[in-house]
Amino acid sequence: MNTFVDVISTEPVKDSEGFATVGDTILASVRAYREERHGNEQWANRAAFSTATALFRFRKIPGIVITTAIVLVCDDGRYNITSVEDVSGRGMYVEVLAEKVIASA
């Protein structure tokens, strides 16, 4: 586990005047294994199906369902989840393919 990751829910939140703004709610902070996209055989197989730029692997968080509506934030930036998979089908680890969010100027 080589990096800390915040699991964030981005849901519309209404302010006191009734206007909706997008608010970030941190659901959990966990240690995760992060692997950037590079030219090995595994990434070559993934590249045909995904626009993912990073892979995250972390322990399953009790009470939190990881979906594509959730965002991961680490020291390197913000990542939108493109796919979620249970590692080995045991319910212990979650493998997430994510695309880095690049801010427009």
Side-chain angles (χ1 to χ4, degrees), residues 7-73:
V7 178
I8 295 179
S9 171
T10 56
E11 297 177 350
V13 177
K14 287 190 178 183
D15 61 8
S16 61
E17 297 175 357
F19 293 102
T21 58
V22 177
D24 289 348
T25 305
I26 297 177
L27 301 175
S29 295
V30 295
R31 287 181 60 88
Y33 168 76
R34 182 179 79 191
E35 180 181 303
E36 294 295 323
R37 183 179 195 147
H38 57 286
N40 67 3
E41 186 177 337
Q42 290 177 336
W43 276 102
N45 292 335
R46 289 182 188 124
F49 305 109
S50 177
T51 59
T53 57
L55 172 128
F56 292 89
R57 192 174 297 129
F58 50 89
R59 280 192 162 283
K60 187 169 181 170
I61 306 163
I64 297 176
V65 177
I66 305 296
T67 64
T68 56
I70 292 176
V71 176
L72 300 178
V73 176

Side-chain angles (χ1 to χ4, degrees), residues 56-61 66 83-97:
F56 292 89
R57 192 174 297 129
F58 50 89
R59 280 192 162 283
K60 187 169 181 170
I61 306 163
I66 305 296
S83 71
V84 179
E85 184 178 345
D86 182 13
V87 177
S88 301
R90 295 182 181 168
M92 292 178 61
Y93 289 92
V94 176
E95 186 175 85
V96 172
L97 290 175

